[in-house]
Amino acid sequence: ATIVSSVTGPGDAPSSETQTPMQRTLLFQVTGKEGLAVANVLLATGGGVNGGSQIYLSPILLVPVPLPTPLQSTVGASDTLQARTGVSMLLGVRVDAAVALNRLALAALVDAIGGVPISVQESVRVTDVAGKTIETVPLGARTLAGVNATTYALTLQPGESQVARMRRFAEVIERVLANLPDDVESMRQVVLSLGSLAKSTATNDELVDTLMAVHAEVAAGSSVEAFLPVTTARANEAAVIRRPLGSALVESLLPEARLTPGESRMTRVVLARAGAPVAKTLAATDSLVSAGFTVVEAGRRPRGETMIVIPDADPGSVSRGTDVAEALGVPRSAIRIFGGGRSVVDVLVLLGDEASLL
């Protein structure tokens, strides 16, 4: 069968053209008392579009690792790259490194800069299993020391939304980043002082270099702060990206960190429903994951036939498209080459309602 070069429609993001990586990214996570990554922010620095960015991610955001898993549950995995890989695959961007701090490490960072000035709008209380208050961050403007700042940033109040906690964490971490040391040696001492309270996929030198760049941009006021739009599900125990708002935000802030076809650890398959029922979509997802692909769901697209869209006629792209077709049990004639200015990474599957599929 012939692979048809005729698609001029949908793509999930990234251009297939090779770009020199200019934006560096660091996934910064903080774990709570139960070891879950309750605070997560993707830091970006450099590039020609903006002066850096901070994209805050919900801890219940489902990331493909390869099965959908809440981001907060990825830090305790034996695979130290799980959080970094999951965020990268979900957002379609390079995540150059990840660092996870426990609450004591965040407290140490706050104390290292002399505390953080915060105007507490609503008091934050920590209770024990019996409901007795054991710690309080009261109303009012004050400079919070490490322990209080950590409680303020990481505590989820009863009935409170994840967004409310994320905003408090953003208040604290922005002030920490803005007030980190200006010289390399002092920054190195800060990183080394964290010791076993932090784990990172980067070397100390790489972490120092990235934090120096992020600090300079935040201190200068040129860094953009944003919260990834999500839709919550499963009684607020899970969240998915709200499309197209979430994808547009990532593309606007991280244009030079976008993945190119074949760059990710595993083949990234973006799966969109083009008329297929939910049951067929779930079956297709299971087939692709079983075949070793990472699947990112992209919601609904206009009804049509099933197509497997690849970015170009490169042998690697054709091979990935063919492998996806085999996993789904569809003919190679369903493969199309994307002809627009934006392409998929690595493969886009438009799942139609044909009865023969799967």
Side-chain angles (χ1 to χ4, degrees), residues 47-94:
V49 176
N50 57 60
S53 62
Q54 306 143 53
I55 303 178
Y56 291 88
L57 309 174
S58 171
I60 59 173
L61 178 66
L62 296 178
V63 296
V65 290
L67 294 176
T69 302
L71 179 57
Q72 65 182 1
S73 300
T74 58
V75 292
S78 57
D79 180 2
T80 58
L81 296 175
Q82 192 174 80
R84 170 185 168 186
T85 301
V87 170
S88 175
M89 296 298 255
L90 178 67
L91 303 184
V93 298
R94 284 181 297 98

Side-chain angles (χ1 to χ4, degrees), residues 2-3 27 55 89 93 124 152 194 219 248 295 305 322 326:
T2 302
I3 297 175
L27 177 62
I55 303 178
M89 296 298 255
V93 298
V124 176
Y152 178 77
L194 299 177
V295 179
E305 63 179 330
T322 301
E326 291 179 355

Side-chain angles (χ1 to χ4, degrees), residues 54-331:
Q54 306 143 53
I55 303 178
Y56 291 88
L57 309 174
S58 171
I60 59 173
L61 178 66
L62 296 178
V63 296
V65 290
L67 294 176
T69 302
L71 179 57
Q72 65 182 1
S73 300
T74 58
V75 292
S78 57
D79 180 2
T80 58
L81 296 175
Q82 192 174 80
R84 170 185 168 186
T85 301
V87 170
S88 175
M89 296 298 255
L90 178 67
L91 303 184
V93 298
R94 284 181 297 98
V95 178
D96 297 313
V99 59
L101 284 63
N102 67 18
R103 58 186 292 114
L104 295 178
L106 178 59
L109 277 180
V110 171
D111 286 335
I113 63 169
V116 290
I118 297 288
S119 178
V120 180
Q121 301 300 313
E122 292 187 26
S123 61
V124 176
R125 296 189 306 128
V126 180
T127 58
D128 59 19
V129 291
K132 180 181 179 181
T133 300
I134 56 177
E135 187 179 354
T136 302
V137 181
L139 288 170
R142 59 178 52 81
T143 296
L144 298 181
V147 173
N148 278 346
T150 299
T151 298
Y152 178 77
L154 304 184
T155 302
L156 185 65
Q157 301 286 284
E160 187 177 52
S161 70
Q162 293 288 350
V163 173
R165 173 167 59 179
M166 289 165 61
R167 292 193 181 281
R168 291 199 302 270
F169 171 65
E171 283 185 80
V172 171
I173 202 63
E174 181 183 14
R175 287 163 174 77
V176 168
L177 293 172
N179 290 283
L180 286 172
D182 293 321
D183 64 283
V184 173
E185 190 51 42
S186 295
M187 183 73 82
R188 190 185 312 281
Q189 292 304 313
V190 168
V191 170
L192 291 175
S193 69
L194 299 177
S196 61
L197 302 180
K199 61 179 183 178
S200 176
T201 63
T203 66
N204 285 339
D205 285 345
E206 290 169 338
L207 197 54
V208 167
D209 188 46
T210 299
L211 287 176
M212 287 293 296
V214 170
H215 159 64
E217 291 166 344
V218 175
S222 62
S223 187
V224 177
E225 177 188 281
F227 294 79
L228 184 71
V230 299
T231 299
T232 57
R234 301 180 191 171
N236 293 326
E237 293 182 358
V240 295
I241 293 180
R242 187 183 306 162
R243 301 181 187 276
L245 294 177
S247 300
L249 173 70
V250 172
E251 186 173 341
S252 66
L253 294 181
L254 302 174
E256 295 162 32
R258 298 184 300 178
L259 290 172
T260 55
E263 183 180 357
S264 55
R265 285 177 65 189
M266 300 172 66
T267 297
R268 179 176 183 262
V269 178
V270 176
L271 180 64
R273 293 170 57 196
V278 173
K280 188 175 292 184
T281 304
L282 293 175
T285 300
D286 288 343
S287 296
L288 290 167
V289 171
S290 297
F293 299 106
T294 296
V295 179
V296 177
E297 301 217 7
R300 295 184 179 181
R301 299 291 174 88
R303 182 179 296 271
E305 63 179 330
T306 293
M307 290 191 292
I308 296 171
V309 187
I310 57 178
D312 49 46
D314 180 84
S317 295
V318 173
S319 176
R320 286 187 286 272
T322 301
D323 290 343
V324 168
E326 291 179 355
L328 292 176
V330 300

